[in-house]
Amino acid sequence: MHRADTCITEEANKIIEKNNIKKSLRMCGYGDWVYNVAQPATAPDRQHVIRDKPHVGSIVVPYVHGASEALRRIFSKRGVSVHFKSANTLRSALVAPKDKVPPGKCCGTVYQVSCNDCDSAYVGESARPLNTRIAEHRRPSTTTSPVGDHQKAGHSIEWKDVKILDRETDWFRRGVKESIHIRTSKSDLNKDQGRHRLSGAYNSLLRQSMSRDSRHGSTVSDQ
């Protein structure tokens, strides 16, 4: 029936074709109930549907279980359509056209420097190669450095195993990611929330995300 409704344009020809289908079904021993079941449900005409909220626009965000659904509900109340995309694709998992760049040569990173003697850590970001930024942390300077001050206090810093938390080439997005990692990790050596101060409205979403990943064992700061 669907093909009769979609492939035939003339109404008269549609009726003829549907009658032929009915006749063929009866010849095969089927009753009229088969025809009734095959009838598609009538959908409302979209042109006559009145929206409760005017459509403002649409956004595409990565899908995070639990958090993405909450974002969709919030934006839909304001007339914004939310579409999800997967962060991990089959192409990204299978295709590797270039050799992997060594961690020390990676640019556009959000990184974490940890202490060997305690749980203290420092989160930072840089557009330059990671080795260049770490060398600046280790270089004696007249300006105060949170990591340097911690080392001067007698603690041993793990310089050889600096962890890359995220990678982002865009300056603004990298600053946002730095702020997120500062707020969700044990980065007590950071003197501020990063160059992009994250609004407290994100705390609830960050807590939900962290509660699903107990491996971090960290809390969300309300700063």
Side-chain angles (χ1 to χ4, degrees):
M1 295 301 174
H2 176 71
R3 294 188 62 180
D5 288 326
T6 56
C7 297
I8 302 175
T9 58
E10 298 293 336
E11 290 297 329
N13 294 333
K14 285 184 181 181
I15 296 174
I16 295 173
E17 180 62 23
K18 289 182 179 181
N19 289 333
N20 291 333
I21 294 174
K22 287 182 181 180
K23 185 183 297 183
S24 299
L25 290 172
R26 292 193 188 99
M27 291 177 62
C28 293
Y30 292 100
D32 292 338
W33 63 270
V34 177
Y35 171 78
N36 296 329
V37 171
Q39 287 290 347
T42 304
D45 190 353
R46 294 185 178 182
Q47 295 180 354
H48 299 286
V49 174
I50 301 176
R51 299 176 183 269
D52 295 335
K53 295 285 185 179
H55 185 260
V56 177
S58 60
I59 59 173
V60 179
V61 296
Y63 179 77
V64 179
H65 179 69
S68 298
E69 289 83 352
L71 280 176
R72 169 175 278 177
R73 289 192 295 268
I74 294 172
F75 280 105
S76 62
K77 293 179 181 178
R78 291 159 177 80
V80 179
S81 300
V82 178
H83 306 282
F84 301 136
K85 67 176 181 179
S86 174
N88 299 319
T89 62
L90 185 61
R91 178 180 177 83
S92 63
L94 299 179
V95 178
K98 297 181 180 179
D99 295 335
K100 291 185 177 180
V101 179
K105 295 183 179 180
C106 290
C107 299
T109 59
V110 178
Y111 60 90
Q112 183 182 61
V113 181
S114 303
C115 178
N116 288 325
D117 301 329
C118 64
D119 293 333
S120 296
Y122 174 85
V123 173
E125 61 85 20
S126 178
R128 295 168 295 167
L130 183 59
N131 283 340
T132 302
R133 184 68 184 105
I134 298 304
E136 293 177 348
H137 281 297
R138 304 184 65 176
R139 185 185 308 144
S141 175
T142 55
T143 59
T144 59
S145 169
V147 181
D149 293 343
H150 193 70
Q151 189 173 19
K152 290 177 183 178
H155 290 257
S156 173
I157 304 300
E158 182 57 78
W159 296 112
K160 294 183 179 180
D161 191 20
V162 177
K163 185 179 180 181
I164 296 179
L165 302 177
D166 217 321
R167 296 186 63 181
E168 179 58 60
T169 57
D170 183 79
W171 180 85
F172 178 80
R173 294 179 181 176
R174 191 170 61 251
V176 173
K177 290 183 177 182
E178 177 196 29
S179 299
I180 291 175
H181 285 290
I182 290 175
R183 188 164 292 190
T184 58
S185 63
K186 296 179 179 179
S187 54
D188 55 340
L189 296 182
N190 288 83
K191 296 182 178 179
D192 52 36
Q193 291 295 307
R195 59 178 171 81
H196 181 91
R197 185 170 181 84
L198 200 64
S199 171
Y202 288 90
N203 288 341
S204 177
L205 292 175
L206 293 177
R207 287 193 182 96
Q208 292 180 23
S209 176
M210 295 305 298
S211 65
R212 290 190 302 272
D213 192 355
S214 58
R215 292 174 300 175
H216 293 277
S218 55
T219 57
V220 178
S221 170
D222 290 324
Q223 298 179 2

